[in-house]
Amino acid sequence: MTTAPVPLPADHIPPGAAEWRSADARRWLAASPAAWAHPLWAVLALAAGTVWQVAAVPAAPCTTASPCGADWLGMGFAALLLLTLYWVARQPRLALAGLVLLLAGHVTDGGTQALGTPPWLAFVVAAGFAAAGLLHRLSVAARQRALAGEAAGPAAHAVPAAALAFRRGRLSTSVAALLLAVAAFGWWQGQAVADAYEERAARLTPVTGTVVRSDEDGLRVSVPSLERAYDIEVLFPEDFPVDSEVDVLVDGDWVRLVAEPYDIAGWELLVLVALVGGFAFLANAVDGRTRSRWAHHGPLPVLRVLVREGHDDGRTWVYAADDLAAERPLFRFHSLYAVEDEDEGAAPFGAGGGAGGPEDDDEGGAWGREDDLVEELRKVGAVLKGEDPPPPLREAVLYGLPYAGAELVFAARDDEDSPEVSVECSVTAVKPAVPGPFGGRGPGPTAGGQRRPRGRSVDEVAATLAPSTAPRVWGANGVSRAVGVFLLLVQGGGVWALLDDEFTWTSVVPLVGLFFVVSSASTALGWRLTADRDGLWVAGAWRVRHVPWDRVLTVRHRSGGDIVIAREEDTELTLSPVGWAWLERRSGREPAGPRAAEEAYALLRRPELRPAEAAGPGEQGMPVGPLLAAASVLWGAAVLLLL
């Protein structure tokens, strides 16, 4: 049903502001970036090329002639790679610069002899693909800007005063400064370790020893000239096999391999993480500050549109001015309210009413404030229960030309009850409302931030169910079984990790925890809910239980992926998990768990639709928990024998 949008007062609509009609908006949306240029594919290609290079070119072993020490340059190169992967999605221009530096670094590090190797060629192809996608996105942004300019026409107006006071980048600047300070501290500490070693090593003469033991605990080196053996911790014991000769530095109880003089891997990791985070936040801060000042550069084109706040994600979704049913969203972004500086004595843009006079303190005013408080508490309670109505569609005026990656300002009323006009500024870039990299259903009537219905009514579900003689069966589908397989892999890896070290009684506690993982995996792999003439059969991880219809209170599906059957004796039977409903929706499938709960509940409320026959053993389901538990025990025994 189409409802009228919340109107924008005429005095807040700039003269000559054009409506963005659906015909023009569809042309704009059609010019969105192509699916192949989605940042995900470029990131995956670059990551795959990097992994191939690392796997194909193993690190050189540590030797006396070429000892392993601090590699700040290599760490910086790794930070640049991670930043480039991030900037591919957020900062196309910085990503292009990062790709150029990465290619130059590869040429400098590998030399001309590496140019013809397959790993290098794969990385070059991945970088070229990423660059093509970035250039395509930039060209699309220019095309969308031109189309929006045509729709806006010649009218241009200054943004509301509140938008001029809006500032961005302060938090990101603070976080960036903190992280870069942490990186500097990590570099200082790591370099201090390296300098201390160099200073001490300069006073000592290396001696030659023989490796008599090499394992994960380190090396045992016998030094004949000192008539003594030393235990030395090393990072790569495989580089020093038994009976090989190594050079060591000895100063009392202080012993170091010349090939592995010190270990600052922890400091290097700290510097890497802090550098990546610091420069990422710094780039966002600079970009945010730059974009927050674009509104100061004179009059901007304006467009009349419709907006709606997302019910679940808080984004602002924008529609064409004549799309009164909100059927086709155009783009989305996150926004924050902008207000004028209070020092100037100005109220927010379009504010109606001022400070209350003495009459506000009378009894009626007090009762009014109490009623307002009760109403606000009621609204909060409705939000927490998920019963609040969807946000209204509102008329708005956009300041600035929208395109993929742009930032905007808009003015609109919050709702029918609010006479004030608020100004909001975007804090994330504009993203066209097009299907994601995995396709799915794409944007539709519910994609504009409206809440997807929590469940169909009994009448709606009953209308889809015809009377049946045979029992109705709902069970695990492909997504649910994929969840089960994933949990089994986690459980198998956990058993291996726990038994990899020496088995102690303390290992029993985590193993007991893994039992619950087996239980969840068993449910995901083989859950079944069967409705027959007498009641519901619930096949879980360990047993099959029957609940007669006259003892069933309700059947519901939780957002976490559980089906709950409540019984008269205030107990519940729970099937958990039964898949990932959100993943099934994203892949264009109907979620099995919510459908089973809705239809079983409909049968509970509509006895005439219940099956006429009783369910046989084959239809009741079979728990797979005992089988998987036995398999887990056998897997644990095999791990103990193999280790």
Side-chain angles (χ1 to χ4, degrees):
M1 181 178 65
T2 301
T3 57
V6 177
L8 184 65
D11 58 337
H12 287 274
I13 301 176
E19 290 188 343
W20 201 8
R21 312 293 292 181
S22 293
D24 294 328
R26 281 194 292 269
R27 291 173 57 209
W28 182 94
L29 194 61
S32 299
W36 66 267
H38 193 280
L40 176 63
W41 309 129
V43 170
L44 292 178
L46 289 171
T50 301
V51 170
W52 190 5
Q53 277 194 320
V54 172
V57 184
C62 304
T63 63
T64 301
S66 179
C68 294
D71 185 15
W72 299 118
L73 182 61
M75 185 272 304
F77 191 76
L80 176 62
L81 173 64
L82 295 176
L83 281 169
T84 301
L85 295 178
Y86 171 72
W87 286 335
V88 164
R90 294 294 302 272
Q91 307 282 353
R93 290 180 174 83
L94 285 179
L96 286 172
L99 288 175
V100 172
L101 293 176
L102 285 174
L103 292 174
H106 276 289
V107 172
T108 303
D109 183 58
T112 57
Q113 66 274 14
L115 297 181
T117 60
W120 164 257
L121 291 177
F123 186 83
V124 170
V125 171
F129 173 74
L134 293 169
L135 293 173
H136 171 74
R137 287 160 57 191
L138 292 174
S139 65
V140 161
R143 172 62 175 161
Q144 287 185 322
R145 182 183 177 88
L147 291 172
E150 293 177 8
H157 296 271
V159 298
L164 296 176
F166 188 78
R167 294 291 183 269
R168 287 188 54 198
R170 294 174 181 174
L171 178 60
S172 293
T173 301
S174 301
V175 175
L178 176 62
L179 290 174
L180 291 177
V182 170
F185 174 77
W187 174 85
W188 175 55
Q189 290 294 315
Q191 195 60 40
V193 173
D195 292 342
Y197 166 80
E198 296 294 344
E199 181 181 352
R200 194 168 193 173
R203 306 193 304 264
L204 303 174
T205 301
V207 295
T208 302
T210 303
V211 178
V212 297
R213 177 179 58 80
S214 176
D215 54 31
E216 60 185 10
D217 295 326
L219 305 180
R220 185 166 183 81
V221 179
S222 175
V223 183
S225 61
L226 300 179
E227 298 181 349
R228 185 175 173 182
Y230 298 92
D231 291 323
I232 306 175
E233 293 184 0
V234 294
L235 289 176
F236 308 104
E238 62 276 6
D239 291 342
F240 310 99
V242 175
D243 295 332
S244 63
E245 291 187 346
V246 294
D247 293 330
V248 298
L249 292 173
V250 181
D251 186 9
D253 293 333
W254 184 87
V255 183
R256 295 291 187 274
L257 280 185
V258 175
E260 283 193 25
Y262 48 82
D263 177 16
I264 58 170
W267 293 117
E268 288 180 320
L269 180 60
L270 175 64
V271 172
L272 174 64
V273 173
L275 270 183
V276 172
F279 278 109
F281 275 102
L282 181 61
N284 290 343
V286 173
D287 182 68
R289 277 189 177 275
T290 303
R291 290 177 180 272
S292 68
R293 295 181 182 276
W294 65 272
H296 297 250
H297 298 160
L300 298 175
V302 291
L303 282 169
R304 296 180 61 184
V305 295
L306 299 176
V307 299
R308 169 177 274 155
E309 182 182 351
H311 204 165
D312 296 319
D313 55 17
R315 292 188 179 98
T316 296
W317 293 77
V318 178
Y319 303 82
D322 56 348
D323 187 6
L324 300 180
E327 294 180 343
R328 191 65 173 97
L330 302 176
F331 56 86
R332 64 189 185 275
F333 54 85
H334 284 285
S335 61
L336 291 177
Y337 287 99
V339 295
E340 295 185 46
D341 292 335
E342 295 182 358
D343 295 339
E344 300 178 4
F349 178 75
E359 64 275 9
D360 291 336
D361 293 329
D362 63 12
E363 184 177 359
W367 278 109
R369 288 193 297 273
E370 182 177 345
D371 291 342
D372 291 342
L373 178 61
V374 171
E375 179 64 18
E376 290 299 323
L377 292 176
R378 186 195 65 77
K379 290 181 179 180
V380 171
V383 171
L384 295 177
K385 296 177 182 178
E387 299 172 352
D388 56 315
L393 193 64
R394 303 175 288 159
E395 292 183 355
V397 173
L398 286 181
Y399 291 84
L401 296 177
Y403 56 88
E407 297 200 24
L408 303 168
V409 174
F410 72 92
R413 290 170 58 194
D414 290 338
D415 51 48
E416 288 282 2
D417 300 329
S418 174
E420 300 180 358
V421 174
S422 301
V423 176
E424 297 186 45
C425 297
S426 63
V427 293
T428 59
V430 165
K431 291 186 178 180
V434 294
F438 299 104
R441 299 185 181 187
T446 62
Q450 301 180 57
R451 173 167 294 175
R452 190 180 298 273
R454 288 184 170 270
R456 297 175 294 172
S457 67
V458 173
D459 292 336
E460 291 175 324
V461 178
T464 65
L465 298 177
S468 172
T469 301
R472 295 184 183 275
V473 179
W474 307 273
N477 59 2
V479 174
S480 180
R481 293 189 179 97
V483 174
V485 171
F486 171 75
L487 293 174
L488 282 182
L489 293 176
V490 171
Q491 188 267 348
V495 170
W496 183 285
L498 289 172
L499 300 182
D500 189 24
D501 296 325
E502 182 179 356
F503 184 81
T504 62
W505 287 109
T506 58
S507 304
V508 174
V509 176
L511 285 175
V512 172
L514 291 176
F515 167 81
F516 295 99
V517 179
V518 173
S519 181
S520 295
S522 302
T523 302
L525 287 170
W527 70 272
R528 180 174 291 188
L529 182 64
T530 304
D532 65 2
R533 69 184 182 192
D534 301 319
L536 293 174
W537 294 90
V538 186
W542 306 103
R543 56 184 295 194
V544 178
R545 285 174 284 191
H546 182 254
V547 185
W549 287 115
D550 57 2
R551 292 177 57 193
V552 179
L553 291 179
T554 187
V555 184
R556 64 181 184 273
H557 178 267
R558 292 174 179 164
S559 59
D562 310 337
I563 293 179
V564 178
I565 298 94
R567 298 181 290 185
E568 279 188 345
E569 56 269 26
D570 294 331
T571 60
E572 294 180 343
L573 297 180
T574 303
L575 292 173
S576 176
V578 294
W580 285 326
W582 63 268
L583 180 59
E584 293 171 273
R585 291 192 181 100
R586 289 294 295 269
S587 60
R589 304 178 181 179
E590 182 181 10
R595 175 174 172 268
E598 289 176 352
E599 294 185 356
Y601 183 72
L603 294 180
L604 173 66
R605 297 304 180 197
R606 299 289 187 271
E608 67 275 9
L609 296 176
R610 296 173 188 171
E613 297 179 353
E619 296 167 316
Q620 297 169 10
M622 182 185 71
V624 298
L627 179 62
L628 292 183
S632 298
V633 172
L634 293 177
W635 169 244
V639 170
L640 288 174
L641 293 175
L642 292 173
L643 296 176

